[in-house]
Amino acid sequence: AGLDRFKKTYPEKYLDVGIAEQNMIGIAAGLASEGQQVFTSTFSPFQTMRCCEQIRVNLGYMNHKVNMVGLASGLVLGMLGYTHCCIEDISIMRSIPGITVVSPADCGATVKAVLAAIEHEQSVYIRLTGGAPNPAVYLDDFDFTFGKANMLREGNDLAIIACGTMVNNALKAAELLKEGKLKATVMDMHTIKPIDVSIIEEISKSHNLIVTVEEHSIIGGLGSAVSEHLSTMNQKPPLLSIGLPDEYGPAGSYESLLQKRLLLPNQLANTIANRFFSI
C-alpha cells in the first residue's frame, strides 16, 4: 500500500492485519468507536467486496466512521486478471447507506480527498485508479469539496462527465473533438455519492448531449448515478454512458485492456462524435 514510510515514522499508529480484510474492517470500526480517525487500505476488490458485509453492518448500519482507500481499482492490475481488477466497487459502495464514494482524478486530487475525508462526518470510500506515473489533471491548487464537481473545460455542444483516470482521457478526447468542430465541457465528478445534482441540471439546460466516462462497469457506477437524477427531470438531453461492459474479459496490460474497452482518448472521441451526430 506504499505505507512503509508511515509505518517507520508512526509505528504506534500502524496496524498490519495481513490477508484478513474482513478483520481489518472490524478492527477499524472498533478503533473508530473509541474516537480514532482510521484509514484502511488494500487492493480495491478486497477492500470492498471481500469486506462487504462488515462495511454494511459496522460502518453503514452501526454508523462507525472509517476512511477506506481502494488501491489499483479499475483495470490497472489487468495482468493478474479479474480477481484483481475491480469494476464493481462504485456500485456496491454507493448502495450502502452512510458511505461517501469518491474517485480522484490524479495524485493532487487524492491528497485533497484524504484531507477532506478526515473532516467528513461519514465513512468515505476513496477509489484510486491508474498506475505510476499518474498523469496530472490539476497543475495548480484547486477547490475540492465532496459532492461538488469541478468544471475543467467549457463548451456549448456536449458535456463529458468523468471520474478517476478517465478525467484525463476525457480532456484529451475533448481536444480531439475540438478538431472536429465540437466544443465539449469536461467535468470532474470526483464524488459519485452524493453526486452533484445541481451541475447535472445546469449542463442539461445548455448542452445537446451528456456523456459519462468511467473505468467501471456501466451498471451501477457514475453513468447510473447521473441517469438516476436525469430520470427525475422533465427536460434533459440524451445520455451516452461509456464504461466497461457487463462481462469479465481476459487478462492483459492496462493499455491493452483500455483499448479493448474503447476507453483511450481517440476511441472516446470517435464514440462521442458518432453519437452526437446521430442525434
Side-chain angles (χ1 to χ4, degrees):
L3 293 173
D4 189 55
R5 284 180 298 170
F6 183 90
K7 177 182 178 180
K8 291 176 179 178
T9 307
Y10 306 103
E12 75 285 358
K13 295 182 178 293
Y14 177 87
L15 289 174
D16 187 342
V17 303
I19 307 175
E21 294 87 352
Q22 294 161 324
N23 289 339
M24 176 182 69
I25 295 298
I27 293 167
L31 290 169
S33 74
E34 295 299 312
Q36 298 294 316
Q37 185 73 243
V38 188
F39 279 82
T40 61
S41 182
T42 184
F43 292 121
S44 289
F46 316 129
Q47 174 71 86
T48 56
M49 289 179 278
R50 186 165 293 173
C51 310
C52 187
E53 185 181 5
Q54 285 73 24
I55 294 170
R56 173 182 176 268
V57 174
N58 293 340
L59 309 189
Y61 185 39
M62 297 180 71
N63 203 33
H64 295 310
K65 188 268 176 97
V66 172
N67 307 297
M68 298 165 284
V69 180
L71 303 175
S73 194
L75 301 174
V76 71
L77 293 182
M79 291 304 294
L80 299 176
Y82 276 79
T83 55
H84 285 62
C85 292
C86 197
I87 65 172
E88 313 91 345
D89 50 339
I90 294 177
S91 59
I92 292 169
M93 297 302 285
R94 78 182 190 94
S95 71
I96 299 175
I99 309 290
T100 294
V101 180
V102 184
S103 182
D106 64 6
C107 297
T110 300
V111 173
K112 295 276 190 178
V114 168
L115 296 175
I118 293 171
E119 302 298 327
H120 199 52
E121 294 183 358
Q122 287 188 333
S123 289
V124 180
Y125 174 55
I126 301 174
R127 181 187 201 244
L128 301 184
T129 52
N134 200 309
V137 170
Y138 295 96
L139 301 180
D140 300 304
D141 195 15
F142 60 99
D143 293 330
F144 185 99
T145 304
F146 288 157
K148 185 173 177 58
N150 288 341
M151 183 178 292
L152 305 179
R153 181 188 180 109
E154 292 190 56
N156 52 18
D157 291 318
L158 61 101
I160 306 173
I161 302 174
C163 64
T165 48
M166 290 298 106
V167 175
N168 183 64
N169 285 16
L171 287 168
K172 291 180 178 179
E175 279 294 322
L176 295 172
L177 288 168
K178 184 180 178 181
E179 296 175 6
K181 309 303 181 184
L182 285 179
K183 298 177 181 178
T185 291
V186 178
M187 306 293 307
D188 174 13
M189 190 70 80
H190 50 72
T191 308
I192 297 96
K193 180 188 176 184
I195 200 156
D196 189 346
V197 296
S198 62
I199 199 67
I200 294 173
E201 293 174 358
E202 179 181 329
I203 61 177
S204 294
K205 297 174 183 176
S206 54
H207 295 76
N208 297 317
L209 174 68
I210 294 178
V211 181
T212 59
V213 185
E214 59 192 312
E215 196 177 322
H216 184 276
S217 170
I218 56 173
I219 297 175
L222 173 64
S224 293
V226 171
S227 67
E228 286 163 14
H229 187 70
L230 286 175
S231 70
T232 68
M233 298 168 53
N234 292 327
Q235 300 292 327
K236 65 265 189 181
L239 172 67
L240 170 63
S241 293
I242 300 176
L244 301 171
D246 184 28
E247 63 185 35
Y248 297 115
S253 68
Y254 187 35
E255 186 82 5
S256 70
L257 292 182
L258 290 177
Q259 183 178 33
K260 179 179 177 62
R261 300 312 187 187
L262 305 181
L263 292 176
L264 296 178
N266 63 312
Q267 296 172 313
L268 293 176
N270 289 335
T271 300
I272 293 168
N274 290 338
R275 181 66 180 92
F276 184 88
F277 288 117
S278 70
I279 296 174

